[in-house]
Every structure is written in structure tokens, then in C-alpha cells.
Amino acid sequence: MDSLIIEATEDSPSVMFDVTTNRFSISGESRPENAGKFYTPIIDWLVKFEAVLNSRKQASENINLTFQFKLDYFNSTSAKYLFDVILALKDIVNNGYNIAIEWHYDKRDDDMLEAGEEFSKMVGLKFLFVEL
Amino acid sequence: VLKKVFAKLFGVKTERIVPATYHEELEQQNYYLIPILGPFLLFAWLPYIPIDKKLLPEIWIIPYLRLGFSIATAFVLIAYNFKYFRHKSIVLVTFIAGYLVIVGSLIPALANANSAYVGGLCFLIVGLATAPLPLKIHFSLLVIAILTFFGTCYFTNVKFEDKFWIYSKNDLITSFVFSGFFAYVLNNIRKNIYLKNVKIVEQNKTITQQSSDIEKKNIVITDSIEYAKNIQKAILPEEFEIKKHFPDHFILYKPKDIVSGDFYWLHDDGERVLLAVADCTGHGVPGAFMSFMGYNLLENLINTTHKLTPSQILEELNNQILKVLKQKNQNASAKFGMDVAMISFNKQTKFLEFSGAYNPLYIFRGNELIELKADKRSIGSFKREEDVDFVNHQIQLLTGDILYMFTDGYYDQIGGPESKKYFIRNFKELLQTNCGSMLSTQNEIFEETIKNWQGNKNQTDDMLIVGIKI
């Protein structure tokens, strides 16, 4: 399976899903005019990634994934799609894989921290909060 | 001036129009060439007249032939100014060149193929190659030159006894070959430059057409949205309606685009005034669509069921939006919705109830901030088992209390030295610092502050702040 690399634009974040290192990240600002068009391929990729993981189950114990959210801003529509991304991560976790989810936030950005806490609570996944 | 002359001489496109055909292009080049070269040619052969008289006094006709060239040039320069010759510059230049070639070949033949005179002919033949004439004319002139020279030599019994003739003959042959070759190469260069210019003009035309198409489309779209703005304006409560209940208030309403996903809503049920500040998902047109839906649903549910508390209204609004948008899938999150702060204010008792879907209510009592927290549930999202109903906060307001209801657009504005959000904590501080000022002053300060923060950046989202002094 190929890594998923999407360069950041003025209104969409950069996406780096590196399957060689198993380090995944979404970073930057997210306010695409059409959030569905931006996020659907990302969520589809994660679903496919999970299927690939399951197909080589025997090696699964050794796989440790890191998923970093390093967002400066996201609008309310993006929030709904980010929720779907986290749901996809939850599915992977439910299949017995380890994912360390990091939620990076500016130390002045109470809103961003709160949003991360809220996502973590809603999905029932533990986040590591990284203050910048 | 030099640049222009150069451009005209070599057919480089400056701002002149590129003709439709290559022939017209040559026509144009000749048209520019005549006034530049003409005055020079007028006197070109005159200095040779005294030399001819000295060297070949017996051939009396040569000075007249020389003079004839000046007369021919003068004729061309005069004709040039007549409308009849406006598009006949090639003819005029051919006429001069023809005179030069015929007479220029005739003179050395009459001069008994004197090597100095033959050298002059060589110079003339090579120089001729630079004229921007069609290739056919070039070659014809070369043939005419050969025929005239050798023909005249034949008829005047030139014996070619000059010991330098061998040298001159070589020169003459080289000149003819070179002139033909040179004319051919120059013609190709000219043609290529012309074709390039044509291409550039065509590309420019396409670009101009495209940008004007885009501009037209942009105008149509903008006009259409501008018109839609009027409709959106109609659903927002009128200034006087708000003033009736809250004489001291301000509303900072700044759509990111022309229409907004943020809206406010007011309802008077006799005893209470209901006021909502809502932020729909999206901005611009999709945001505005959502705002109409929110407005309509609020109006409907308030008219069908009486005396609902703010939390009941939010709960009902949530159900309605789920129904309208058919967002029934529990597994995926709903993609449309709105964040709402809703208050009901008892006009007599000043008793306030508040319920918030992500949007909180700030109350400043003096310098003290009373923060009524919003529920972390958006309107339009599926209610999960663990979700409780929206909390209905209650508080007795006092005269002088200031209420702030707002959407996230203000404090999410990206700007400042590090291109960061304004942040909610700075917004809180801004409210704290200014809550003692008159509301109209606050409005100005808030507008100014965010404008400075934004700088030359785009507006991040729709902005809405409602401030009310009890």
C-alpha cells in the first residue's frame, strides 16, 4: 500500500500518512470550501489501510502507529470530518493495533485543547496532548 | 527612437498591429522603411557625379542616370504620401530597387567594366538583399541585374581588357550568389518573427477572451449572491425590534463572503424575548442555506409550541434538522449543523434562561465574568445514548449586566505577527478590558481590533457578536 501524501494549500492541511515509518499526521489549517471532497479520500484511505493490516494479521503485534493532529485551525465542517477520521482510527484500534494519537495545540489555544479533549471523549480513545 | 526604428526595420513587434498575412507584413515593413531610407537615398548617388565627370567625361549620360535615381526617389517619397499608394509600398520600394539594379548594372557596363565601377555594383547587389521585398522580386532583380550588365557589355562590345577584371568577375559572382542566399535567409528570419508574432497575438487574444469570460462569470455570480444577501437581510431581525427590548445593544455582523452562515434570531412571545446567535456549518452560500433552514425551523417550532425553554428549543431544533437533512446514520457524524446560543429573557422579572450548543453565554456583572458554558453538542448531530439533554441555565439578571453572545469567527480570525488565531482567551480579555465602556464604543473597538489583527489576511470565517446591556 502506498503512503498518502497531500501537500498543504491555503485552505487545507498537509496530510502525511507514511506507511514505511507508520507515522501519520494531519497538520495546518483546515477550511476547504468543500470539506467532503478533501476528507473523503483520506477516510477511504484509512479504511483500506485497515483492511491491508488485517490481511497480514500475524505480524500485527509489532505494529505501532503514531497519528499526529497538528492543526492550527479547523472550521466546523472540517470538525465533522475529523471526527470521521478519528472513528476510522478507533476501528483500527478495535482490531487490536496500537495507535498513539497525539493532539498538538498552541498553549494559548484553549479552544483547540478543548476540541481535542472532546474528540477523545466522544470516540473513547486516549489522546496524548502536546502543548506547543 | 532608436529602439522604434530598429523595431520597424527588423519587424520586431512593438505595439503595432500584426497583419493577417506575411505579404501584408512585408507591405507594412516597406511602409515603415520608405520614410527612413528615402531621404538618404535621395542624395546617395549625388557625390558620384563629379567623380564620374572627372573619370569618364566622355560618357556624358552617367551623371544623368545618377541624377535620375534622386528623381526616382523623390517621386517615390511624394507618391508615398498619396492615398493611392498607401498599400503599395512594396511597389514603391521595388521601383527604387529596380531603378538601382538596372541603372547600377548599366553604369559599370558603360564604364567598360571598370573594376572600381564593378565593385560598386557588387556593393549594390549585396545591399539589395536586405530590402524587405518578397523573395520572387529579389531573385527577379538579380536576374535583371545580370542580364542588364552582360547584355550592355555585349552590345557595347566590352572587351574585358582591364587586368583587374578577373578579380572583379570573382567579386561579381560572389556578390550574386551571396545576395541570393542572404535574401533567402533574411526572408526566413522575417517570416519566423512574423509567425511568432502571430502566435503571440493569438495567445493574447485567447487570454483576453478567457479573462473577460471569467470576469463576466464572476460578475454574474457576485450579482446573484448580492441579491441573495437582500433575502438574508430580510430574515435578520430589524434594528428597531431589538432596540425595543434591548435599548442598549450592539451587533457586530461581518460575513466572510457576501452572505453569511452566522445569523441571529429574535422572538417576542409577550412575556419573554427569545434571542439566538447561531453559526451554521460552512460560510458563503452553503452557510446561508443553512441559516435559512435554521431561521425557518425556529419560527415554526416557536409558533406551534408555546413557552418552550431555551434547552427545549435546542432539543427540538436538533430533531427537526436531523429530520430535514435526513442525517440518520449513527456511525458517521452528521456533516451539516449549527452551533447556537439561545436565551430567553423575562421582560418583567429580568429572569434569564440560557442553553448553548457549543456557543456559550458571557455575562459581565461589573468586572466579574459569569460564564454560562455551552453543551458540547452541535445542533444537527445524532444524539447518542450517553448524551443528555441540553442544559437549561437560569440566572437572575441585574440592571447593568452585559450579555455577550458570539460565534467562533471573531476569535478564530487568523492574523497577527505569527499568523495565528486571535484565540478565545484574548477575546475574553478584550471583553473584560472593555466591558466598562459604552456598547457603541465597544463595537468600534472590537471592529478595529480584529481589523488590525487580520491585517492583509483573508477573513477566516463569518463573524457575529451580539452585546446587550440590561
Side-chain angles (χ1 to χ4, degrees), chain B residues 216-408:
Chain B
K216 270 185 212 152
K217 265 183 201 159
N218 193 30
I219 289 171
V220 170
I221 294 167
T222 312
D223 279 355
S224 155
I225 299 174
E226 284 282 358
Y227 188 68
K229 181 179 141 190
N230 297 331
I231 307 171
Q232 186 167 50
K233 229 173 157 183
I235 67 162
L236 295 178
E238 298 265 13
E239 170 71 19
F240 76 88
E241 284 180 76
I242 304 169
K243 210 164 186 147
K244 201 165 75 188
H245 305 296
F246 306 113
D248 199 5
H249 77 272
F250 76 86
I251 293 167
L252 187 155
Y253 174 73
K254 268 173 81 120
K256 169 180 159 64
D257 302 316
I258 304 157
V259 288
S260 177
D262 288 3
F263 74 100
Y264 48 102
W265 172 85
L266 184 99
H267 178 80
D268 177 10
D269 71 2
E271 188 189 0
R272 305 175 307 164
V273 184
L274 298 169
L275 179 69
V277 164
D279 176 3
C280 302
T281 48
H283 51 83
V285 174
F289 270 45
M290 286 297 295
S291 79
F292 287 125
M293 185 184 299
Y295 165 81
N296 245 318
L297 291 174
L298 282 171
E299 286 287 320
N300 271 336
L301 72 92
I302 212 74
N303 286 329
T304 47
T305 326
H306 290 289
K307 301 292 175 221
L308 290 172
T309 64
S311 73
Q312 286 168 329
I313 295 173
L314 292 190
E315 209 64 59
E316 195 47 39
L317 185 64
N318 190 39
N319 293 337
Q320 295 287 336
I321 286 201
L322 284 176
K323 213 161 98 187
V324 173
L325 293 176
K326 300 173 186 69
Q327 300 191 124
K328 295 189 187 97
N329 188 353
Q330 296 186 43
N331 298 323
S333 63
K335 300 298 181 292
F336 312 102
M338 49 187 78
D339 299 341
V340 186
M342 168 81 64
I343 60 167
S344 87
F345 174 69
N346 190 305
K347 290 188 274 186
Q348 247 71 54
T349 64
K350 295 192 173 65
F351 189 72
L352 181 104
E353 290 176 82
F354 161 79
S355 193
Y358 268 111
N359 283 359
L361 171 69
Y362 289 178
I363 303 168
F364 278 91
R365 184 162 289 168
N367 257 338
E368 181 206 356
L369 167 64
I370 305 165
E371 188 177 339
L372 300 187
K373 285 203 159 52
D375 290 61
K376 297 291 176 191
R377 246 182 87 200
S378 184
I379 300 286
S381 55
F382 194 83
K383 193 177 175 187
R384 294 156 302 157
E385 281 167 30
E386 63 268 33
D387 282 335
V388 289
D389 283 354
F390 286 104
V391 177
N392 199 55
H393 301 263
Q394 298 182 322
I395 185 170
Q396 178 60 53
L397 293 183
L398 304 176
T399 307
D401 285 352
I402 304 177
L403 314 181
Y404 294 102
M405 298 160 87
F406 49 86
T407 63
D408 56 7

Side-chain angles (χ1 to χ4, degrees), chain A residues 10 29 31-33 72-77 79-81 83-84 87 106-112 114 118 121-123, chain B residues 280-283 331-337 358 376 378 384 386 411-412 414 418-421 423-425 458 460-461:
Chain A
E10 205 180 306
E29 291 175 19
R31 46 185 155 140
E33 287 295 331
D72 297 318
Y73 171 79
F74 57 85
N75 63 11
S76 47
T77 318
K80 295 181 189 295
Y81 284 95
F83 184 67
D84 285 357
L87 279 179
D106 189 297
K107 63 175 183 293
R108 294 161 292 182
D109 196 349
D110 312 316
D111 224 27
M112 187 57 77
E114 234 176 81
E118 197 58 30
K121 208 174 89 191
M122 280 162 80
V123 183
Chain B
C280 302
T281 48
H283 51 83
N331 298 323
S333 63
K335 300 298 181 292
F336 312 102
Y358 268 111
K376 297 291 176 191
S378 184
R384 294 156 302 157
E386 63 268 33
Y411 58 79
D412 273 349
I414 287 162
E418 298 168 77
S419 258
K420 290 272 184 190
K421 292 193 286 190
F423 293 133
I424 193 161
R425 64 168 67 175
N458 289 332
T460 307
D461 196 1

